[in-house]
């Protein structure tokens, strides 16, 4: 996509604010419907797929939010994406080797996750789905923590308050309400913080997501809804989820919606910083639609070749988020081959570490079934725990008898 | 001693007031809980005294109410949410069952979910569809939730505060047809345990176990049976999760007969579980099978038929006679 073609299209941002109200009201419903079929919809973009820096009227509001980004920062973003992809690839391999029961790959969505994840402050709070491995990386969550639930040794298992990163949520869209409630609490506390809720294009069909939009708007809560529109909800394309572009939905709830190039880490960083900044200033929620693509399967249990065309996947390969930043770094002299080689070695070492950690991960103790069901205890759980312990002990005493 | 006569509705209101006073993290949330004070006025005057930041009128969206309450609890608040009527809880059922009940375990105990979901429940007020249901079994079946129901003003006052103090999610069923029943409340007493049953009336020949709205019916049945020379003990279960099986067992070992009474359908109801457990625990003490009296396996009927659907004095006494006939 060229800069010119982007600029020529109609505005991509709807808003509840006075400033953009004119642009939003100018969009006709018929045109909006037609836009769902667009192969190249309008996006906030700062780096082209070729790695060229874009400066245009469309990104002018957001570009200042990454004006401070140094070459070293860009290398850092690149490192985050490479490490995340390596981790994700390792997990996929571990699933194929039978070490994990399931894996939800983020392949192709590294820029959306690293860009938005690096926009967060320490005090901000994240409510992820089950695919936010890159955001977890940005929060400093030990990658092996993410694998416990996929290996079947726990259902999450980490303390969300250690890194302000909530447990993965599997039921689609539920966490957008948790994020909204948490943000209501942040506002009550008068804290200088914001909350970000991740979800996908499929989740946008869920009632909970609409309720989260509405609650956050009504209470003016400091929450950013970050939708990674990866085009597919397992086998269902976005046409089965919506008739109008996702970001436009925010307008109906009374807050701004922005569509950003989800394969452009710099644009994702800028737009998310902008949205978080609004939230922290008390200007309420924002919907960010990161327009991206899931290059792999929904999870290791489905087969994308059954429901999508190779040409489509190939077209998105040319927009790869990592290659894009690499091209930019090479073209601007921001990094040399030594940097890339060093990073390759680092990511390989991380993959090895993860592999070893997963294989060493012990099964939980049998009696863990009864642990943490209740905080204050429960007579029935106590009774069943004692009965089951006695039952297990009966085998031991039987063995002793032989 | 500060003993005051008040209705269950007033006791709940006073209880919420005290909870709001004692802990700034306690919040009230729900539809119409602010200026109106709730459709049953349980939150009457609370927004006026504690402000819109503590007593929060919400959009009409039950999943949103419970889902945001979960988020507030994660932030350190103790939300008490009101579901307007029993039959309206189902849009929130997903959030309660898949999220609220499980999050503490999923985090290996690292986070707590002190959320109370208040639900006015049960029939006999002549209401329209979805306003008279008894869905307590659906919640008691879910590990991670605690489920309680007061039957009188004292319990209404104390059990609600205990539920708010609990670090576990508590589904708090309020017997709406008893809201206007008055009783003595000692606001300075030391309350009993939230999940212990209570002997309401001593008896020697048979135990009637009930909770919420049916306790009063059972007390009346015991009085009627006494006129026929039958000594019936009445047990107020108070808690459906956990159930105080020890308390029921103690009573049954004394009386040797048990009839469980609730408004909810008999099939797979709380009474079924109690019948099974007490049969296991008290097989050699029982003189008769444990009987159950409750609603039918049919949708809650139109109001003109609810007197037939709900267990009344006669159906309870019939079960008492059947048990004593063994």
């Amino acid at each position: 996509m060229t800069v010119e073609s982007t600029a020529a299209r109609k505005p991509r941002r709807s808003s509840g604010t006075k400033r953009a109200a004119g642009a939003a009201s100018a969009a006709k419903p018929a045109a909006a419907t037609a836009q769902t079929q667009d192969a190249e919809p309008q996006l906030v973009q700062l780096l082209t797929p070729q790695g060229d820096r874009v400066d245009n009227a469309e990104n002018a509001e957001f570009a200042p939010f990454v004006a401070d980004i140094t070459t070293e920062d860009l290398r850092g973003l690149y490192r985050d994406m490479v490490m995340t992809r390596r981790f994700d690839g390792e997990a996929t391999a571990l699933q194929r080797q039978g070490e994990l029961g399931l894996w939800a790959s983020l392949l192709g969505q590294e820029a959306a996750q690293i860009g938005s994840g690096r926009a967060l402050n320490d005090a901000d709070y994240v409510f992820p789905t089950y695919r936010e491995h890159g955001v977890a990386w940005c929060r400093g969550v030990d990658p092996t923590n993410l694998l416990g639930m996929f290996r079947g040794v726990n259902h999450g298992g980490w303390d969300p308050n250690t890194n302000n990163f909530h447990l993965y949520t599997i039921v689609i869209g539920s966490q957008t309400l948790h994020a909204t409630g948490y943000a209501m609490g942040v506002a009550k506390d008068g804290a200088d913080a914001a909350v970000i809720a991740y979800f996908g294009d499929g989740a946008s069909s869920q009632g909970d997501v609409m309720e989260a939009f509405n609650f956050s708007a009504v209470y003016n809560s400091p929450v950013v809804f970050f939708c990674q529109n990866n085009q597919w909800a397992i086998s269902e394309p976005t046409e089965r989820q919506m008739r109008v572009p996702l970001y436009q939905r925010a307008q109906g709830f009374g807050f701004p919606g922005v569509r950003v190039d989800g394969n452009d880490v710099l644009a994702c960083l800028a737009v998310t910083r902008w949205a978080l900044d609004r939230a922290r200033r008390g200007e309420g929620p924002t919907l960010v639609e990161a327009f991206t693509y899931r290059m792999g399967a929904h999870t290791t249990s489905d087969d994308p070749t059954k429901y999508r065309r190779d040409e489509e996947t190939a077209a998105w390969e040319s927009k790869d988020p990592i290659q894009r930043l690499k091209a930019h770094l090479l073209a601007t002299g921001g990094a040399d081959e030594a940097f890339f080689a060093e990073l390759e070695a680092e990511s390989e070492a991380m993959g090895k570490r993860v592999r070893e950690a997963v294989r060493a991960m012990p099964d939980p103790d049998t009696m863990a079934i009864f642990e943490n069901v209740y905080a204050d205890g429960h007579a029935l759980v106590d009774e069943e725990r004692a009965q089951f312990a006695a039952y297990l002990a009966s085998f031991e005493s039987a063995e002793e008898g032989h | 001693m500060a003993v005051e006569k008040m209705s269950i509705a007033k006791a709940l209101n006073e209880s919420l007031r005290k909870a709001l006073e004692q802990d700034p993290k306690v919040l009230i949330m729900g539809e119409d809980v602010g200026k109106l004070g709730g459709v049953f006025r349980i939150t009457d005057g609370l927004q006026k005294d504690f402000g819109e930041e503590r007593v929060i009128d919400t959009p009409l969206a039950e999943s949103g109410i419970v889902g945001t309450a979960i988020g507030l609890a994660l932030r350190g608040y103790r939300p008490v949410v009101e579901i307007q009527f029993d039959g309206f809880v189902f849009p929130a059922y997903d959030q309660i069952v898949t999220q609220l009940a499980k999050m503490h375990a999923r985090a290996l105990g690292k986070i707590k979910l002190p959320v109370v979901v208040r639900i006015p429940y049960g029939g006999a007020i002549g209401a329209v569809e979805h306003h008279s249901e008894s869905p307590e079994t659906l919640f008691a079946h879910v590990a991670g939730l605690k489920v309680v129901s007061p039957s009188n003003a004292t319990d209404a006052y104390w059990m609600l505060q205990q539920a708010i103090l609990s670090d576990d999610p508590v589904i708090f069923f309020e017997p709406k047809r008893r809201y206007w029943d008055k009783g003595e409340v000692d606001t300075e007493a030391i309350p009993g345990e939230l999940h212990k049953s209570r002997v309401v009336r001593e008896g020697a020949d048979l135990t009637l176990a009930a909770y919420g709205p049916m306790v009063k019916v059972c007390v009346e049945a015991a009085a009627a049976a006494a006129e026929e020379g039958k000594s019936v003990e009445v047990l107020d279960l108070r808690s459906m999760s956990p159930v105080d099986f020890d308390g029921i067992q103690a009573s049954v070992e004394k009386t040797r007969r048990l009839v469980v009474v609730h408004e909810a359908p008999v099939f797979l109801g709380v009474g079924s579980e109690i019948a099974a457990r007490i049969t296991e625990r008290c097989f050699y003490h029982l003189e008769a099978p444990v009987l159950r009296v409750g609603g039918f396996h049919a949708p809650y009927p139109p109001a003109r038929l609810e007197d037939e659907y709900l267990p009344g004095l006669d159906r309870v006494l019939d079960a008492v006679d059947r048990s004593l006939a063994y």
Side-chain angles (χ1 to χ4, degrees):
Chain A
M1 184 202 290
T2 65
V3 177
E4 288 70 28
S5 71
T6 305
R9 289 166 192 263
K10 66 179 182 288
R12 85 210 55 75
R13 186 164 65 87
S14 63
S15 172
T17 61
K18 198 181 285 182
R19 193 169 159 185
S25 61
K28 291 191 176 71
T33 304
Q35 200 179 33
T36 52
Q37 308 304 327
D38 272 3
E40 296 283 341
Q42 310 143 359
L43 308 160
V44 175
Q45 190 181 66
L46 292 170
L47 283 179
T48 67
Q50 294 72 40
D52 300 324
R53 186 62 197 259
V54 183
D55 283 304
N56 58 23
E58 307 304 326
N59 67 28
E61 184 166 6
F62 307 103
F65 284 84
V66 288
D68 63 324
I69 293 295
T70 63
T71 304
E72 192 185 343
D73 294 332
L74 287 176
R75 284 196 299 267
L77 293 169
Y78 183 83
R79 175 178 175 272
D80 289 337
M81 290 198 289
V82 168
M83 295 295 275
T84 298
R85 180 171 290 187
R86 184 66 189 83
F87 165 70
D88 185 74
E90 190 61 44
T92 302
L94 285 164
Q95 195 280 332
R96 297 301 185 218
Q97 292 161 15
E99 300 287 352
L100 302 177
L102 185 79
W103 183 245
S105 168
L106 64 35
L107 186 66
Q109 297 177 224
E110 294 86 354
Q113 295 198 13
I114 299 302
S116 60
R118 284 292 175 218
L120 298 161
N121 290 345
D122 285 348
D124 295 339
Y125 213 96
V126 178
F127 285 85
T129 70
Y130 42 78
R131 203 190 295 280
E132 268 63 73
H133 322 311
V135 184
W137 170 267
C138 295
R139 299 307 281 177
V141 175
D142 181 345
T144 58
N145 276 355
L146 306 175
L147 299 172
M149 67 186 290
F150 294 99
R151 188 169 170 83
V153 302
N154 59 45
H155 290 310
W158 62 83
D159 181 349
N161 293 323
T162 302
N163 302 87
N164 282 6
F165 187 80
H166 191 67
L167 302 166
Y168 277 2
T169 298
I170 289 181
V171 176
I172 302 296
S174 294
Q175 74 283 359
T176 57
L177 280 169
H178 309 157
T180 300
Y182 195 95
M184 288 163 68
V186 167
K188 284 181 187 302
D189 296 343
D192 182 23
V195 180
I196 189 164
Y198 288 87
F199 61 105
D201 43 296
S204 75
S205 297
Q206 287 280 358
D208 273 3
V209 174
M210 314 298 163
E211 294 189 20
F213 286 179
N214 199 39
F215 271 68
S216 66
V218 165
Y219 297 118
N220 201 45
S221 306
V223 58
V224 175
F225 296 106
F226 195 92
C227 178
Q228 288 166 84
N229 178 357
N230 69 14
Q231 314 301 322
W232 291 92
I234 308 190
S235 69
E236 295 193 12
T238 51
E239 289 80 8
R240 270 279 178 257
Q241 308 296 337
M242 65 202 73
R243 280 294 297 277
V244 296
L246 259 171
Y247 72 94
Q248 289 182 1
R249 205 174 287 180
Q251 188 191 351
F253 290 91
F255 55 86
V258 185
R259 180 181 266 173
V260 62
D261 185 337
N263 287 20
D264 174 352
V265 71
L266 204 55
C268 288
L269 178 66
V271 168
T272 312
R273 277 182 169 180
W274 171 83
L276 290 165
D277 198 48
R278 287 187 76 251
R280 292 195 202 94
R281 280 202 314 268
E283 293 178 22
T286 304
L287 170 62
V288 176
E289 178 191 358
F291 203 80
T292 181
Y293 194 76
R294 155 163 65 77
M295 294 301 294
H298 165 70
T299 69
T300 44
S301 63
D302 68 304
D303 175 7
T305 63
K306 288 179 84 91
Y307 56 80
R308 66 187 188 191
R309 294 172 296 114
D310 291 345
E311 304 85 71
E312 178 185 293
T313 313
W316 277 94
E317 265 170 22
S318 66
K319 301 177 193 173
D320 185 89
I322 295 182
Q323 289 309 314
R324 183 179 308 202
L325 187 52
K326 186 175 188 177
H328 180 75
L329 284 169
L330 285 171
T332 57
D336 54 19
E337 287 302 337
F339 166 78
F340 296 113
E342 205 173 302
L343 185 52
E344 175 70 15
E346 187 188 3
S347 70
E348 277 306 313
M350 187 266 297
K352 185 167 181 283
R353 192 170 69 245
V354 166
R355 186 161 65 244
E356 286 167 356
V358 166
R359 287 177 174 158
M361 214 177 262
D363 285 348
D365 183 81
T366 303
M367 299 313 284
I369 291 168
F370 303 98
E371 298 309 313
N372 302 308
V373 183
Y374 292 90
D376 294 341
H378 190 283
L380 181 60
V381 177
D382 293 344
E383 186 184 321
E384 291 185 351
R385 180 196 290 113
Q387 286 171 348
F388 196 57
Y391 170 75
L392 293 178
S394 71
F395 291 102
E396 284 166 27
S397 53
E399 275 173 26
E400 280 164 19
H402 281 286
Chain B
M1 288 264 287
V3 179
E4 208 181 317
K5 191 161 189 178
M6 62 177 91
S7 66
I8 287 181
K10 179 68 176 166
L12 292 167
N13 179 266
E14 290 292 330
S15 186
L16 290 171
R17 175 174 293 278
K18 193 167 174 187
L20 285 163
E21 280 169 359
Q22 286 184 338
D23 184 352
K25 293 294 186 184
V26 171
L27 304 172
I28 312 288
M29 300 170 67
E31 298 160 9
D32 308 302
V33 297
K35 280 205 178 71
L36 180 65
V39 291
F40 290 106
R41 312 291 185 269
I42 306 302
T43 57
D44 196 28
L46 298 178
Q47 190 182 67
K48 181 171 153 283
D49 294 341
F50 294 93
E52 292 180 8
E53 286 292 312
R54 305 279 314 275
V55 182
I56 306 164
D57 273 325
T58 63
L60 264 89
E62 283 77 10
S63 190
I65 294 169
V66 174
T68 53
I70 289 169
L72 281 157
L74 293 172
R75 182 69 192 181
Y77 287 86
R78 303 185 89 85
V80 183
V81 311
E82 177 174 302
I83 300 294
Q84 209 154 54
F85 281 93
D86 34 57
F88 302 168
V89 72
F90 296 105
Y93 196 65
D94 167 46
Q95 282 288 346
I96 292 172
V97 172
T98 62
Q99 305 297 330
L100 184 60
K102 292 177 176 165
M103 216 176 266
H104 174 71
R106 294 183 61 231
L108 303 184
K110 306 292 187 191
I111 52 173
K112 295 187 171 104
L113 279 300
V115 177
V116 176
V117 181
R118 292 181 38 241
I119 308 175
Y121 82 123
I125 63 163
V128 295
E129 195 181 15
H130 311 303
H131 288 66
S132 301
E133 297 174 12
S134 299
E136 58 270 21
T137 301
L138 300 177
F139 296 91
H141 194 66
V142 178
L145 302 177
K146 289 179 174 174
V147 183
V148 300
S149 177
S151 69
N152 58 75
T154 293
D155 275 353
Y157 182 79
W158 285 112
M159 285 172 70
L160 183 51
Q161 286 177 70
Q162 289 169 309
I164 295 167
L165 284 170
S166 170
D167 282 332
D168 288 311
V170 180
I171 313 300
F172 194 88
F173 280 102
E174 299 172 0
K176 68 169 92 81
R177 70 155 124 162
R178 305 285 177 225
Y179 270 149
W180 304 279
D181 288 7
K182 287 191 173 176
E184 304 268 323
V185 178
D186 180 353
T187 57
E188 288 172 13
I190 296 166
E193 287 181 49
L194 179 59
H195 302 290
K196 284 274 182 258
S197 62
R198 185 175 63 95
V199 176
V200 184
R201 178 191 170 109
E202 299 264 2
D205 300 336
L206 181 144
T207 299
L208 280 176
Y211 53 85
M214 295 312 294
V215 172
K216 189 177 178 184
V217 174
C218 288
V219 168
E220 287 166 2
E227 288 177 15
E228 299 169 0
K230 298 162 192 164
S231 174
V232 172
E233 180 149 304
V234 179
L235 208 58
D236 182 353
L237 295 173
R238 301 172 76 250
S239 176
M240 281 79 80
S241 178
V243 172
D244 178 19
F245 292 112
D246 292 344
I248 307 170
Q249 181 175 352
S251 180
V252 170
E253 285 179 359
K254 185 174 73 170
T255 67
R256 295 176 173 261
R257 286 181 169 83
L258 175 64
V259 176
V260 190
V261 185
H262 49 60
E263 289 189 10
V266 165
F267 182 68
L268 293 176
V270 172
S272 305
E273 180 59 35
I274 290 171
R277 295 245 171 202
I278 292 303
T279 302
E280 286 179 21
R281 285 184 178 217
C282 307
F283 188 70
Y284 293 109
H285 286 91
L286 287 168
E287 299 283 351
V290 180
L291 300 182
R292 292 160 292 159
V293 183
F296 305 116
H297 194 58
Y300 193 88
R304 298 281 177 160
L305 281 176
E306 68 181 343
D307 285 348
E308 307 301 323
Y309 175 91
L310 293 168
L313 200 58
D314 290 341
R315 274 173 60 196
V316 174
L317 286 171
D318 177 67
V320 168
D321 289 345
R322 279 190 287 133
S323 178
L324 288 168
Y326 277 92

